[in-house]
Amino acid sequence: MKLESIKILVSEIDYKLGRIEFFKERLEKWENKEEREYEQSQRRLAKLIDETTNLLQIMKLEELDKFKEYEEIAKKLDEHT
């Protein structure tokens, strides 16, 4: 994989990991869990986890050395799916 492609992949993974943390914190603090927005946030979090897991799988196939930096994160995300 080209260096520029690796940078883009890493950047996208890091961005999605940040969004996952944002939604986790947001959902933990939510008071009325019956609200429609709560359900939407749950779905968005699940989608982000799936997308990030897919990107990590690509990294694992294409750039195993770089993947090793994210291996623990990948294991934690797999636990959520």
Side-chain angles (χ1 to χ4, degrees):
M1 194 175 239
K2 292 184 180 180
L3 183 59
E4 190 62 33
S5 297
I6 294 169
K7 287 181 183 178
I8 293 169
L9 182 61
V10 168
S11 164
E12 187 67 20
I13 290 169
D14 289 342
Y15 170 76
K16 288 186 184 295
L17 289 172
R19 297 298 293 161
I20 287 169
E21 286 305 312
F22 169 79
F23 277 99
K24 281 183 176 181
E25 290 174 13
R26 182 177 180 185
L27 289 166
E28 286 174 5
K29 294 177 183 175
W30 212 290
E31 292 194 20
N32 184 359
K33 297 185 187 321
E34 300 298 319
E35 291 180 20
R36 181 174 173 232
E37 290 84 11
Y38 181 80
E39 185 178 316
Q40 289 173 335
S41 291
Q42 283 183 311
R43 285 195 309 265
R44 181 63 183 134
L45 176 60
K47 185 175 179 181
L48 282 166
I49 290 171
D50 287 344
E51 291 171 353
T52 306
T53 300
N54 291 338
L55 290 172
L56 287 167
Q57 288 299 322
I58 292 168
M59 182 184 278
K60 185 177 182 179
L61 294 172
E62 298 289 330
E63 293 295 326
L64 189 56
D65 290 340
K66 192 71 174 166
F67 173 77
K68 290 179 182 180
E69 295 175 28
Y70 291 88
E71 197 164 9
E72 288 301 313
I73 294 169
K75 288 177 186 176
K76 288 179 184 177
L77 291 176
D78 282 341
E79 292 172 3
H80 290 290
T81 55

